[in-house]
Amino acid sequence: MANLIFNITLYHYLILALILFVIGFIGVILVKNIIKVLICAEFMLTAVNINFIAFSAFAENNLIGFVFAIFTVAIGAIELAIALAIFYLMYRNKKSVDINDYKELMG
Amino acid sequence: MNSSDIFTSIIFYLCAANVIFSSIFTILSRRIMHSLLFAVILFFAVGIIFLFLSAEYNAIIQIAVYGVAIPVLFVLAIMFTSHRIDKQVYLSFTPRFIFTIISAILFVLTLFNILLISSSVIEWLFTPQSVISLNRYEMFNAISDGLYIRFLLSFEMIALLTLSVIVGLSSLNIFKGARNG
C-alpha cells in the first residue's frame, strides 16, 4: 500500500487529469457566466496537456507528447483570444454576461 | 523507497490537491475575479506537476502562457464587462444539471474501465517512475527536432493562424467601430 502511495505512477497523473477534465466539463455546462465557461474550457485543455505529457514521459524516451502539448497551448491561446473577442462584440449589444441571454445563437 | 521518493510524492499530492480544489473553487466562487485567481493558482500548480514529469519546457510555457498571458486577457475582459452583474450570474441548476452529472459519471466510469483494462494488458503502465533517461542537451535536441523538423509544417500553420486571428480581430473591431461611428 505504501508502495502504491509513494511511487507516483502514470495512473496518478491520468486520474488527476480525469478529475480536472470532468470538473471543467461540469463547469462548461453548468456555469452561467461566459467568462467562467471559458476558464473551465481552459481547464479541459490543461487536463489534455497533462495526459499528453504524462504518456510521453512514461514512454521510452519519446518526446512527441511534449511537442504536442506546446501545440495545444498555442491552439488554446488562439481559441481564447477569438472567444473573448466574439464575447465582447456580443456583450456590446446585450450588456449581459449571462449565457442564457444568448439563446438565439442556438439557431 | 528512499526519503526523496516520499518527499517527491508528498509535493505531488499537494500540487494535485491544489489543482482539484482550485478548480472546484473556480466554479463555486461568486466573484469572477476570485475565480480567475483560483484558475491562476491551478495553472501554476500544473506547471509544477509538469516539472515532476521532466518537462521543463512545457512547465515554463504553461506558466508563461496560462499563468501570466491568458489571465491578462481575462482581466481585460472582466474589466470591460462585469461591472454590475458580478453577483447575479452564478450556477444554474436547471434540468441540464442532471444531464451534466449523469454525463460526467458515465465519462468517469468509462475511462476507469479503460484504465483497468489497460492495466491488465500493458505492462509498461506499471513502470513506477518516469523512464526519461535523456540529459538536458539530448532533451533540447529532441524537442527542437519535434518543433523545427518533424512538426515544422504544423507550427508554421499555427503561426499563420495566429496572424490571421490578429488581423481578423483588429479588422472586426475597425469595421464595427466604423459602422457605429
Side-chain angles (χ1 to χ4, degrees), chain A residues 21-78:
Chain A
F21 190 91
V22 169
I23 292 173
F25 172 74
I26 290 173
V28 164
I29 298 187
L30 283 189
V31 172
K32 285 161 59 179
N33 191 318
I34 294 181
I35 296 177
K36 265 193 203 179
V37 169
L38 290 176
I39 294 175
C40 291
E42 295 301 317
F43 288 174
M44 294 165 77
L45 279 175
T46 306
V48 172
N49 268 347
I50 293 175
N51 270 350
F52 268 135
I53 292 178
F55 273 115
S56 185
F58 281 83
E60 187 75 29
N61 289 338
N62 188 352
L63 299 187
I64 292 178
F66 287 15
V67 179
F68 260 85
I70 299 174
F71 199 79
T72 317
V73 167
I75 292 284
I78 293 171

Side-chain angles (χ1 to χ4, degrees), chain B residues 50 58-59 78 81 87 124 126 157 173 177:
Chain B
F50 286 169
N58 292 89
I78 291 169
T81 54
K87 292 186 177 176
W124 59 265
F126 279 121
M157 285 175 67
N173 279 321

Side-chain angles (χ1 to χ4, degrees), chain A residues 2-16 18-27 29-36 38-40 42-43 45-46 49-50 53-61 63-78 80-82 84-89 91-100, chain B residues 1 5-6 9 12-13 16 19-20 23-24 26-27 29 32 35-36 39 42-43 46 49-50 52-55 58 61-62 65-66 70 73-74 77-78 80-81 83-85 89-92 96-97 100 103-104 107-108 111-112 115 118-119 124-134 139 142-143 146-147 150-151 154-155 158 161-162 165 169 172-173 176:
Chain A
N3 198 26
L4 182 68
I5 291 175
F6 291 118
N7 271 332
I8 306 298
T9 62
L10 178 59
Y11 287 109
H12 292 78
Y13 294 102
L14 293 186
I15 290 171
L16 174 67
L18 174 62
I19 294 171
L20 186 59
F21 190 91
V22 169
I23 292 173
F25 172 74
I26 290 173
I29 298 187
L30 283 189
V31 172
K32 285 161 59 179
N33 191 318
I34 294 181
I35 296 177
K36 265 193 203 179
L38 290 176
I39 294 175
C40 291
E42 295 301 317
F43 288 174
L45 279 175
T46 306
N49 268 347
I50 293 175
I53 292 178
F55 273 115
S56 185
F58 281 83
E60 187 75 29
N61 289 338
L63 299 187
I64 292 178
F66 287 15
V67 179
F68 260 85
I70 299 174
F71 199 79
T72 317
V73 167
I75 292 284
I78 293 171
L80 184 74
I82 296 175
L84 281 178
I86 293 173
F87 160 61
Y88 182 61
L89 288 178
Y91 177 83
R92 289 209 296 200
N93 289 329
K94 294 215 171 186
K95 302 289 180 195
S96 168
V97 292
D98 190 347
I99 207 162
N100 290 325
Chain B
M1 185 187 314
D5 280 347
I6 296 175
S9 60
F12 170 79
Y13 285 123
V19 166
I20 293 169
S23 58
I24 291 172
T26 301
I27 295 177
S29 296
I32 182 69
S35 297
L36 183 61
L42 183 146
F43 292 138
V46 170
I49 284 175
F50 286 169
F52 283 109
L53 290 163
S54 316
N58 292 89
I61 289 175
Q62 172 80 20
V65 175
Y66 276 117
I70 284 181
L73 277 180
F74 275 121
I78 291 169
F80 279 133
T81 54
H83 45 91
R84 52 181 175 168
I85 326 171
V89 180
Y90 192 44
L91 283 171
S92 68
R96 68 179 167 183
F97 179 78
T100 311
S103 317
F107 185 72
V108 169
L111 280 187
F112 262 118
L115 279 180
S118 67
S119 69
W124 59 265
L125 282 172
F126 279 121
T127 313
Q129 286 175 346
S130 171
V131 290
I132 288 185
S133 58
L134 303 174
M139 176 84 88
I143 298 241
L147 283 179
R150 292 189 65 176
F151 301 108
S154 314
F155 278 94
I158 286 210
L161 184 63
T162 315
V165 164
L169 292 183
L172 196 66
N173 279 321
K176 183 87 177 174

